[in-house]
Amino acid sequence: MLTADATRAQLPLHAARLRAISLRELFAQDPERPRRLGLEAAGLYLDSAKQKIDEPALLALETHLQACGFERWREALFGGEAVNGSEGRAALHMALRAGAGAGYQVQGQPVMAAVQAVRERMRAFAQAVIESRLTGLSGLAFRDVVNIGIGGSDLGPRMICEALPAGPGSPRVHFVANVDGAQLHRVLQGLDPATTLLVITSKTFTTQETMANAGNARAWLVAALGEAAVARHCVAVSTNPAEVARFGIPAERLFEFWDWVGGRYSSWSAVGLAALLHLGGEGFAALLGGAERLDQHFRHSPLRHNLPVRMALLSYWNHNLLGAASQVIAPYAQRLERFVGWLQQLEMESNGKRVTREGQPLAEPTTPALWGDVGTNSQHAFFQMLHQGTAVHPVDFILVREADHPYADQQRLLLVNALAQSAALMRGKTAEEVRRELSARGLAGERLEAAIPHRVFPGDRPSSVLLLPRLDAAHLGALMALYEHRTFVLSVLWGINPFDQWGVELGKQLAQSLLAVDGDGTRSGLDASTLDLLARLSSPGDAPAPP
Ligand code: F6P
């Protein structure tokens, strides 16, 4: 078996070879690229023919992934070992979407009975709310649900609720995350406390933003209905029963999960309660089922046919070998407007690291900035830069074949726009093509020559197209699991722990110090700029002019 250093050393040779060939030439040499580079799993189809890759380069990448110990790490992940080394925890989110018969264990302890028990309590609770059997203090049905949580306790359930239609009889679900009270105020002012259920979602139940929002929402309930409302109108989703009890929520209203579920991987656990209330039991089960299909594919497919592996290898190839600047995600589906936000936390909180699992500084860059927005809106915002800017930003286009609305003409427009953008990035437009086009329109001489450089598209810019037959719960579940596993494969290539997030701690600590700043701030240990700004924020009136 070759060492990872040896297999890594092969990759620049392939990159140099492929840098010298344009994507147009690759297509001319091999019109069969779509067939050769297409992959399907759990109903999702990936076309990676417009990536600057060929079979020898793919093989070299796969060999390198193996040399990085991929198979061992994948088994450790599914085997419930402590793959999150810096916290000594497993990361077994796959158990949360598995059937009752799955034998998942965390560090040797079976977990499926506990997972099933919480899943069943959640289902029964949601059903009772939806059917108005479970009511508020004054006997009225819950018409509105407010999920209070942030990060992984917000982004996943919120994205799912926006992507998928509400099930029959479901309450309206709202989300409050930001510590900016404007969001809580806007949500609560439209609601009636008597018909509102608060779902307070926090793994730790100590997160500053969530506890501030929860405290004020609790006061809003109590002011209208009295202290007894807390036990009837609040439920908690958490791994911290002691703090939940201190808040006044009884144990039977706590939906627990476990420390082996990372926040950004938690939508499948009780953190998905708001999504379950929105979708209903059947829809939520379909979401889990789709993700589980993708898990099985990821666990058992050989590297060459493994969709998360392929997507991770392409990302590594583009950023670490070809020098791409960032990763763009462009869902051509309005209902996936929140998908990029969810994915940003998943990818950048997981792989935004600078040391190896062993704590050694990394020799190569880790996750690129990941950003994007829905098409076609994004075509009128940042696509100019993708086509003619100086840096290359690979794009994942996400397309949904079947429309969920009656406007078939618009669906056709949407899909052809996505394909046109992907093709334009690949083929570009040469100076000669521009000259011909403008000459045909009667432009000549100096004016023609001056116009050409502005109209040239360099092309040769890679993209993938990920195709979903329809945006239903099963395919959304599979799509989310696909990106989760892609993130994991990338972490193996970089040799990092994707399941901790120490990088969010310093800002939290400093916010605490700022809250504790005394009179003149001298004992806080904070820098002069921060103290100056704090003083300006604390003094009334307009900001004084700079000295
Ligand atoms: O952003 C840091 C973080 O710890 C995330 O990992 C997590 O999803 C979020 O805060 C919320 O944490 P909690 O669910 O404990 O409130």
Side-chain angles (χ1 to χ4, degrees):
M1 175 87 174
L2 290 167
T3 65
D5 284 346
T7 53
R8 179 66 177 78
Q10 294 302 308
L11 300 180
L13 309 176
H14 290 279
R17 182 174 58 74
L18 282 160
R19 257 197 220 100
I21 315 174
S22 71
L23 277 166
R24 276 198 199 200
E25 285 165 326
L26 286 173
F27 270 94
Q29 283 172 11
D30 181 11
E32 291 291 295
R33 281 178 68 78
R35 192 182 52 75
R36 272 191 235 290
L37 294 168
L39 262 190
E40 192 272 341
L44 312 180
Y45 177 77
L46 176 79
D47 172 67
S48 50
K50 296 192 195 75
Q51 292 284 349
K52 214 157 186 199
I53 196 89
D54 61 4
E55 282 173 311
L58 261 185
L59 184 60
L61 282 162
E62 288 160 2
T63 308
H64 179 55
L65 180 63
Q66 270 171 325
C68 291
F70 170 66
E71 265 123 9
R72 180 170 52 79
W73 281 105
R74 181 176 54 181
E75 266 324 290
L77 177 77
F78 279 91
E81 292 175 36
V83 287
N84 176 357
S86 74
E87 295 180 296
R89 292 174 180 170
L92 201 56
H93 36 281
M94 296 78 69
L96 301 165
R97 49 220 191 193
Y104 284 113
Q105 301 195 343
V106 168
Q107 295 172 318
Q109 297 302 313
V111 292
M112 286 315 295
V115 167
Q116 282 294 116
V118 176
R119 201 185 284 168
E120 179 47 32
R121 283 184 58 225
M122 285 167 66
R123 194 203 56 75
F125 175 80
Q127 192 74 11
V129 170
I130 291 167
E131 291 172 359
S132 307
R133 284 183 282 111
L134 205 115
T135 64
L137 207 52
S138 25
L140 296 171
F142 290 116
R143 294 275 157 251
D144 292 278
V145 170
V146 183
N147 185 81
I148 299 179
I150 196 164
S153 298
D154 166 70
L155 294 163
R158 185 197 292 254
M159 183 271 285
I160 294 164
C161 288
E162 292 198 15
L164 300 174
S170 290
R172 287 178 300 228
V173 182
H174 314 263
F175 290 85
V176 173
N178 200 335
V179 77
D180 181 348
Q183 193 179 29
L184 179 69
H185 183 60
R186 182 176 289 174
V187 168
L188 292 188
Q189 74 184 346
L191 304 184
D192 176 359
T195 56
T196 300
L197 175 72
L198 303 181
V199 179
I200 303 165
T201 307
S202 174
K203 183 173 172 181
T204 53
F205 229 72
T206 56
T207 301
Q208 188 189 55
E209 295 94 327
T210 301
M211 297 330 292
N213 278 316
N216 284 327
R218 182 190 200 281
W220 171 82
L221 274 181
V222 170
L225 305 169
E227 191 64 32
V230 177
R232 285 287 287 269
H233 288 248
C234 295
V235 299
V237 174
S238 186
T239 60
N240 187 347
E243 280 301 316
V244 170
R246 246 164 50 87
F247 191 87
I249 297 177
E252 64 275 14
R253 290 292 182 97
L254 164 63
F255 297 92
E256 62 172 328
F257 61 115
W258 307 273
D259 70 0
W260 47 266
V261 183
R264 51 195 175 274
Y265 300 88
S266 65
S267 304
W268 327 96
S269 70
V271 169
L273 185 61
L276 168 58
L277 285 158
H278 171 79
L279 298 174
E282 228 175 87
F284 195 70
L287 183 86
L288 302 188
E292 213 241 334
R293 257 184 92 188
L294 206 292
D295 291 341
Q296 293 308 321
H297 163 82
F298 175 57
R299 188 173 190 179
H300 299 295
S301 303
L303 296 193
R304 180 52 59 94
H305 301 290
N306 198 308
L307 192 52
V309 166
R310 173 70 58 86
M311 287 181 71
L313 292 178
L314 289 172
S315 177
Y316 183 75
W317 176 249
N318 281 328
H319 297 97
N320 291 62
L321 278 304
L322 299 182
S326 73
Q327 170 72 60
V328 175
I329 307 292
Y332 274 63
Q334 186 57 39
R335 290 197 279 128
L336 288 178
E337 197 175 11
R338 295 256 173 201
F339 187 73
V340 178
W342 170 79
L343 194 51
Q344 280 178 322
Q345 187 202 13
L346 173 68
E347 178 59 33
M348 295 197 279
E349 203 170 77
S350 296
N351 286 338
K353 309 283 166 65
R354 50 179 284 284
V355 294
T356 62
R357 291 182 205 99
E358 295 75 30
Q360 297 305 312
L362 278 155
E364 58 179 340
T366 55
T367 196
L370 183 148
W371 58 288
D373 196 0
V374 289
T376 58
N377 304 15
S378 46
Q379 291 175 204
H380 301 271
F382 57 79
F383 267 64
Q384 161 65 38
M385 182 183 83
L386 303 186
H387 288 292
Q388 287 189 314
T390 48
V392 173
H393 306 267
V395 185
D396 281 1
F397 290 93
I398 303 176
L399 273 62
V400 180
R401 196 180 57 220
E402 287 170 25
D404 60 338
H405 54 73
Y407 311 113
D409 55 335
Q410 289 189 227
Q411 180 68 2
R412 197 170 154 66
L413 278 176
L414 178 73
L415 297 180
V416 299
N417 262 285
L419 297 185
Q421 292 299 324
S422 173
L425 285 165
M426 185 274 279
R427 68 191 309 282
K429 197 191 269 184
T430 64
E432 206 30 58
E433 287 167 337
V434 176
R435 181 172 285 112
R436 271 204 304 275
E437 207 176 279
L438 294 182
S439 306
R441 281 200 245 140
L443 213 64
E446 266 180 31
R447 283 187 57 216
L448 171 64
E449 293 310 316
I452 288 172
H454 302 282
R455 289 160 173 78
V456 166
F457 288 63
D460 210 25
R461 300 192 166 192
S463 66
S464 295
V465 170
L466 193 57
L467 189 57
L468 279 65
R470 69 198 73 83
L471 186 49
D472 57 12
H475 290 98
L476 181 64
L479 181 69
M480 292 170 70
L482 168 62
Y483 275 95
E484 282 182 357
H485 292 314
R486 168 190 173 278
T487 299
F488 173 74
V489 179
L490 277 164
S491 78
V492 174
L493 285 162
W494 287 315
I496 60 182
N497 174 5
F499 298 116
D500 61 10
Q501 59 284 319
W502 297 105
V504 300
E505 293 304 319
L506 179 59
K508 287 188 195 171
Q509 270 172 19
L510 289 182
Q512 288 302 341
S513 330
L514 278 166
L515 280 175
V517 156
D518 55 315
D520 63 0
T522 45
R523 289 205 308 274
S524 65
L526 289 162
D527 61 89
S529 153
T530 306
L531 289 171
D532 178 63
L533 289 166
L534 188 61
R536 285 170 192 273
L537 287 169
S538 316
S539 55
D542 292 343

